[in-house]
Amino acid sequence: MTTVQRICFFGDSITIGTGDIACRGWPSYACEQEGVVRGHDVSCYNLGIRAETSTDIAQRWRHEYAPRLPAHVTGRLVFMFGVNDCADFNGTGVRVPKGDSLATAVSMLSQAKDLLPTLWIGMTPVRRTPPVISPGPGVTYTFDRSRTAELNDAYRTAAAQIGIPYLDLHTLLAQDPDWNDMLDQGDGVHPDDAGHRRVAELVTEFDGWRAWF
């Protein structure tokens, strides 16, 4: 049976597709899988913004989903964030403390699920050797897998408490021997195009996603 859906994807650079040579990102590959392979009619709105944190996304998601998902369409919301919350900024500490990140996530996702069917996709793990990214003069972000793993655990617990399907990508990919190679082909935070396709594969196999189709 064919379904017709419009899906808004909110996130950061992993969502927008940084590292993907085709500049598409996993949401595009996931929706392509549903459309080309399974025959569904899917509109994909990739609303990722590089370097954004949970607090950044919380400030904009309502304004951005509303014109794309009017009341007469079958709309869905997908959120993926957290890696940037855990990034150390210029050696001064993480950009968003764990407690603030968790509170923001719970508030945002609780509001979202009251409006439309919503999925929470967990963050992807960074390279085991902490990667450093400098997007511009005087700005340095240092990432650490132990920090993202800790926040992921908190997110997963919170998702269960508020009743939102949560795909624990962090745990799945940390156990995937190919993932680290995909990160090495990228910059240690963002995988190559194979990595984005791998994320799309896991998302489209996720029970929460499959329930929409």
Side-chain angles (χ1 to χ4, degrees), residues 59-195:
Q59 293 174 12
R60 67 178 173 89
W61 72 273
R62 281 180 170 271
H63 303 292
E64 295 185 1
Y65 98 83
R68 294 171 174 86
L69 305 180
H72 65 274
V73 307
T74 301
R76 311 290 194 215
L77 301 172
V78 178
F79 291 82
M80 181 193 202
F81 52 83
V83 171
N84 289 307
D85 292 44
C86 298
D88 179 278
F89 174 69
N90 287 351
T92 63
V94 296
R95 295 179 63 195
V96 182
K98 177 184 172 183
D100 293 343
S101 178
L102 186 59
T104 299
V106 168
S107 175
M108 177 167 55
L109 273 295
S110 295
Q111 293 174 48
K113 80 179 186 70
D114 287 343
L115 292 170
L116 290 167
T118 299
L119 296 180
W120 191 351
I121 308 300
M123 71 196 88
T124 54
V126 299
R127 187 177 58 212
R128 290 193 185 98
T129 303
V132 178
I133 294 179
S134 297
V139 178
T140 299
Y141 298 131
T142 303
F143 299 83
D144 185 273
R145 186 181 286 193
S146 63
R147 288 199 296 265
T148 55
E150 182 179 357
L151 185 58
N152 174 70
D153 289 344
Y155 279 177
R156 185 181 61 244
T157 299
Q161 292 172 344
I162 63 177
I164 281 190
Y166 185 84
L167 175 58
D168 186 355
L169 278 181
H170 199 285
T171 299
L172 290 171
L173 291 173
Q175 298 170 350
D176 185 340
D178 294 329
W179 180 251
N180 289 298
D181 292 336
M182 295 169 183
L183 288 174
D184 288 339
Q185 293 300 313
D187 59 12
V189 175
H190 311 99
D192 61 2
D193 53 304

Side-chain angles (χ1 to χ4, degrees), residues 42-69:
V42 183
S43 296
C44 174
Y45 295 107
N46 191 327
L47 301 171
I49 296 180
R50 190 165 186 176
E52 284 213 326
T53 65
S54 60
T55 55
D56 294 322
I57 296 169
Q59 293 174 12
R60 67 178 173 89
W61 72 273
R62 281 180 170 271
H63 303 292
E64 295 185 1
Y65 98 83
R68 294 171 174 86
L69 305 180

